[in-house]
Amino acid sequence: MKSLSLSWKKTWRGDQMGDGAVKPAWFRQGLEAGWIRRSEEELVRFLEGEFGELNQSELLISVFLSLFEEEGHVVLPLYKTPPEWGEILGVDHQGISVLRSYASSFEISELSDSALTGKPGEMAPYIMDKIREKSFVSINRYRNYEEKIDSLIRKKSSATAEISEPEKLKKQLDELFDNVLIPDWQKAAAALSFLKTFLIISGGPGTGKTTTVARIIALHQNLNLGKLKIGLAAPTGKAAGRMGEAIQKEMSGFELSDEMLANIPTEAKTIHRMLSGTSQKGLLPDAEKRKLHYDLLIVDEASMIDLRMMYRLLTALDERTRLILLGDRSQLASVEAGSVFADLCRKTKNGFSEEIAEKLSDITGFDLPVSGAAEADGLHDATIYLTKSFRFDESSGIGKLAALVKADGRKDLVRADEPEELFESLGDIEHSSFTFNGENLRKLADDLLDRLEKTAAIDDPETMLKFWKEGAMLTCHRRGLEGSDRLNAYMEQMIAASRKLPISDGWYHGRPVIITRNDYSLGVFNGDTGVCVREEGKSGSYRVWVDSAGGMKPIHPNRLMHVNPAYFLTVHKSQGSEYNRVTLLLPSEDSPVLTRELLYTAITRARSEFRLLGSLELFCKGINRETERFTMLGMR
């Protein structure tokens, strides 16, 4: 049986730990500098209360696993050193220097003998594992989540279904798709939805994901005489609302019987709401005990689904349910731990096993590429990429800039002169240098004040929300002097100082807001946006109209406990939304969050105009930095 060491096996520069002894210098420095939080301090205190005093290696993995989880990672790579962990997290130079002095004291062998760690299947807080000769340690429950997700998806994607009426399917596919593009990946995706009970459809903005899904719904209902129970879902209320509207708009163009239309959902639900069974009010019950009895379930914005939510969704599915995940593998991963959608999109380009390629060719009428033997498995056969953009043509600066940032298959680094040439030659994208000084911030605030003043003539909540959605100011960070929280606070200070608007308890007509936490009693969810509108005939009285799944909801401001102004949004918060004009404010200094995926997500929020404020050199550093999330699912 393992025993936890209660004494140090080595001495570390006078920071020897015993009863009541101070923690090592790296831990103290981390607390003082702020990169170790009080939550890590409390975690260590709890573990020592349960297991006795932690040795150096146990202390390191406990602290850094918590920090890695906060940044979205699922595992801690033991093949890297503590200073390298610090660099991944963006720890300051002093912190890295202190960690280097302790690197030699980190020993994996100490972890193997620790009561804190166990092997897969054992009951221990942390699990040590190895994939492809690389060692990892993970929180036990996260390891179980990844293992269960992998098992369920492999099982669901490995089976190939028989098509009951192939000739009828061929005929209807030909009626819905014109075969102008060969291969037509939308048509192939629709055909694949009949062969696979699990399907991933990934594509950038404007590649026709919604169109494809609407046609998939029409095909399945037609071939099943309108008797299917279909569900639509998305991770956030904002994404669910957009999905429901877009699907309904597409479906209106099809000739379907009243019976079939009655079985097509008129709205999409948030995954939280679907799992809880809560329509608008009530507490969130234990979702693990609830089964989703759908014939077909389609989930949009799947790249935003974190590890735990994907686990809950998959374990709640009925075995016979067909599941389709829609998303963009190049976008940012979820805010919480995991990068499930990107981890599942393992193949680099479209291609299928010989069996599936032959079946698809027979159904669609055109040849499909065959993958190499190493790639030809169930999950690869159940994944398809939409590659043709119908939104951005060859002259589109937004499309070209997004393609440059996405850098598919590119080996060399992007140079500053490449985006500079695009900005100079194309009209729908613009670049200006920018620093966060008083003058530049006042210009931004003045522009927003001008927009706010225009809302005085708008009394309809939907019209006002649409007005604010015309443009977005995006930031890379939420915290700090250059983050959205501080910039929103600055904006509200400028509004108060202008004395142009009557303000009551911080609320005023035209104020755009964003919900920051789910509130099931109000039926609003994290990421929902809204506007403050004056009540007619009541001076100083306001209602906040929140655009959540199911429509606009009027709420008294005092009932909203978790809400922020939305003049500036982080790129993460903008996911699931689109705007005519987007401005991205780059930070003054390089940051680990400035990645290819963040820049791509920001650019592709724009429909008509994109403006970059900041350094092109920094922009290129971000393009050349690919997000690395440490997960075991991505290594399988």
Side-chain angles (χ1 to χ4, degrees):
M1 182 176 178
K2 294 180 181 178
S3 62
L4 190 72
S5 172
L6 298 181
S7 62
W8 289 110
K9 298 178 181 178
K10 292 185 179 181
T11 299
W12 290 279
R13 292 170 176 76
D15 289 330
Q16 189 170 354
M17 294 178 66
D19 292 340
V22 294
K23 290 291 186 283
W26 66 265
F27 189 87
R28 300 197 311 274
Q29 191 276 337
L31 282 174
E32 291 168 3
W35 59 266
I36 293 180
R37 304 161 300 172
R38 293 300 171 188
S39 55
E40 278 77 45
E41 189 177 28
E42 290 302 318
L43 171 65
V44 170
R45 184 175 288 116
F46 168 78
L47 291 173
E48 291 189 331
E50 293 289 317
F51 296 95
E53 191 142 30
L54 306 184
N55 66 34
Q56 181 80 284
S57 299
E58 292 162 344
L59 184 63
L60 279 163
I61 67 160
S62 299
V63 169
F64 275 94
L65 255 177
S66 177
L67 294 172
F68 264 56
E69 179 196 359
E70 174 70 13
E71 294 301 314
H73 305 285
V74 178
V75 300
L76 183 67
L78 296 178
Y79 57 89
K80 291 184 179 291
T81 64
E84 289 175 315
W85 299 340
E87 289 170 353
I88 290 167
L89 295 171
V91 171
D92 59 73
H93 295 301
Q94 185 181 355
I96 297 296
S97 177
V98 177
L99 282 168
R100 285 198 182 101
S101 68
Y102 284 84
S104 62
S105 64
F106 176 67
E107 295 184 3
I108 296 179
S109 60
E110 287 186 336
L111 298 177
S112 301
D113 298 329
S114 169
L116 278 181
T117 63
K119 297 177 182 177
E122 292 183 351
M123 295 295 293
Y126 307 133
I127 298 298
M128 294 182 66
D129 214 336
K130 182 178 286 188
I131 292 183
R132 300 177 188 172
E133 301 305 313
K134 291 185 175 181
S135 295
F136 300 87
V137 63
S138 60
I139 298 171
N140 197 331
R141 71 179 184 278
Y142 281 177
R143 205 262 178 205
N144 290 336
Y145 289 164
E146 286 199 314
E147 187 173 41
K148 188 67 173 178
I149 289 171
D150 185 64
S151 172
L152 289 171
I153 286 180
R154 283 185 184 277
K155 180 181 177 182
K156 211 166 182 64
S157 62
S158 61
T160 300
E162 292 296 326
I163 298 174
S164 57
E165 298 180 90
E167 294 304 317
K168 187 175 180 181
L169 174 59
K170 291 179 190 178
K171 182 175 181 296
Q172 293 194 10
L173 279 169
D174 288 339
E175 290 173 354
L176 287 172
F177 297 92
D178 52 21
N179 281 355
V180 171
L181 296 173
I182 301 295
D184 185 338
W185 294 116
Q186 292 187 16
K187 185 176 184 180
L192 195 57
S193 72
F194 286 86
L195 294 173
K196 292 293 181 180
T197 57
F198 174 77
L199 177 60
I200 291 173
I201 302 176
S202 176
T207 53
K209 295 189 294 292
T210 302
T211 300
T212 303
V213 164
R215 291 174 179 179
I216 286 173
I217 292 172
L219 285 165
H220 280 271
Q221 284 290 33
N222 272 326
L223 292 174
N224 288 277
L225 303 178
K227 297 178 180 179
L228 294 183
K229 183 181 180 183
I230 298 174
L232 304 176
T236 66
K238 178 170 58 177
R242 284 188 63 249
M243 181 190 190
E245 292 171 5
I247 293 291
Q248 282 298 306
K249 184 178 179 181
E250 289 287 342
M251 296 304 299
S252 64
F254 300 141
E255 294 183 4
L256 299 173
S257 67
D258 291 341
E259 182 182 5
M260 290 182 185
L261 287 173
N263 285 315
I264 293 174
T266 57
E267 66 170 358
K269 298 179 180 179
T270 64
I271 300 174
H272 280 94
R273 178 178 159 195
M274 181 171 281
L275 290 172
S276 69
T278 302
S279 136
Q280 289 186 350
K281 297 182 179 180
L283 298 176
L284 182 65
D286 185 358
E288 272 81 354
K289 296 180 180 178
R290 176 181 172 81
K291 285 292 181 183
L292 300 175
H293 299 290
Y294 291 102
D295 296 300
L296 173 62
L297 175 61
I298 301 167
V299 183
D300 197 11
E301 297 290 352
S303 65
M304 298 169 66
I305 305 176
D306 61 69
L307 181 66
R308 182 172 180 269
M309 185 57 66
M310 186 66 80
Y311 166 81
R312 293 177 61 196
L313 176 65
L314 291 174
T315 53
L317 279 183
D318 190 287
E319 285 190 5
R320 64 185 179 85
T321 301
R322 290 179 183 268
L323 175 64
I324 298 177
L325 299 181
L326 296 176
D328 185 348
R329 61 183 174 135
S330 299
Q331 278 193 21
L332 282 167
S334 58
V335 175
E336 303 297 329
S339 54
V340 183
F341 189 75
D343 288 345
L344 295 176
C345 294
R346 295 172 186 170
K347 64 184 183 184
T348 55
K349 60 183 179 180
N350 281 321
F352 307 91
S353 66
E354 289 187 6
E355 176 193 1
I356 294 298
E358 185 177 339
K359 288 179 180 291
L360 285 175
S361 179
D362 182 56
I363 298 168
T364 61
F366 50 79
D367 292 334
L368 279 298
V370 175
S371 296
E375 287 194 334
D377 64 8
L379 182 56
H380 281 76
D381 278 343
T383 305
I384 192 164
Y385 302 143
L386 305 183
T387 56
K388 168 66 177 175
S389 175
F390 298 93
R391 179 184 302 172
F392 305 125
D393 58 27
E394 292 183 358
S395 64
S396 166
I398 296 173
K400 288 186 176 182
L401 188 62
L404 176 69
V405 171
K406 193 174 178 181
D408 276 346
R410 179 164 178 157
K411 303 293 184 186
D412 58 324
L413 298 178
V414 173
R415 305 180 312 277
D417 62 309
E418 294 178 77
E420 184 177 22
E421 183 179 339
L422 292 179
F423 281 116
E424 290 177 351
S425 61
L426 297 164
D428 57 342
I429 56 176
E430 177 188 342
H431 165 253
S432 299
S433 59
F434 184 86
T435 55
F436 287 82
N437 58 37
E439 182 182 356
N440 286 336
L441 291 176
R442 280 192 294 274
K443 286 180 181 178
L444 291 180
D446 287 343
D447 288 344
L448 288 168
L449 271 170
D450 287 343
R451 294 187 66 195
L452 182 61
E453 288 179 23
K454 292 177 182 177
T455 64
I458 305 173
D459 291 315
D460 176 62
E462 289 193 28
T463 303
M464 186 182 292
L465 190 62
K466 185 177 179 181
F467 170 81
W468 280 116
K469 286 184 175 181
E470 283 292 305
M473 292 273 192
L474 304 184
T475 67
C476 299
H477 296 96
R478 180 170 70 85
R479 300 185 183 93
L481 294 176
E482 300 170 359
S484 60
D485 285 354
R486 181 67 189 90
L487 291 172
N488 279 316
Y490 172 78
M491 182 63 201
E492 299 237 287
Q493 290 169 5
M494 296 293 286
I495 292 168
S498 72
R499 300 191 177 188
K500 293 181 178 180
L501 296 169
I503 300 175
S504 175
D505 294 327
W507 293 95
Y508 48 88
H509 182 76
R511 186 191 193 203
V513 296
I514 185 167
I515 304 299
T516 59
R517 188 178 298 181
N518 296 339
D519 188 328
Y520 293 93
S521 65
L522 296 177
V524 296
F525 302 92
N526 185 14
D528 289 347
T529 53
V531 286
C532 180
V533 180
R534 60 184 166 239
E535 288 195 284
E536 190 174 352
K538 297 182 180 180
S539 177
S541 182
Y542 302 98
R543 284 291 182 272
V544 180
W545 290 79
V546 179
D547 185 18
S548 192
M552 298 283 285
K553 297 182 174 71
I555 301 170
H556 193 281
N558 291 346
R559 299 188 67 195
L560 289 169
M561 296 294 102
H562 305 287
V563 63
N564 284 339
Y567 297 104
F568 297 87
L569 297 175
T570 62
V571 177
H572 268 104
K573 285 293 186 185
S574 74
Q575 280 187 280
S577 297
E578 293 175 354
Y579 310 90
N580 283 339
R581 302 180 306 278
V582 168
T583 298
L584 175 63
L585 282 71
L586 292 180
S588 299
E589 297 181 358
D590 196 14
S591 165
V593 305
L594 193 61
T595 63
R596 177 184 304 169
E597 290 79 7
L598 181 135
L599 295 174
Y600 173 82
T601 302
I603 293 164
T604 54
R605 298 310 90 206
R607 294 192 195 98
S608 306
E609 299 173 23
F610 175 77
R611 180 172 61 149
L612 178 71
L613 299 182
S615 162
L616 277 183
E617 287 74 18
L618 207 58
F619 183 67
C620 288
K621 280 187 178 181
I623 296 175
N624 295 323
R625 180 187 292 121
E626 190 172 0
T627 299
E628 184 176 19
R629 281 219 169 162
F630 291 94
T631 71
M632 295 196 74
L633 192 61
M635 294 285 290
R636 294 181 186 274

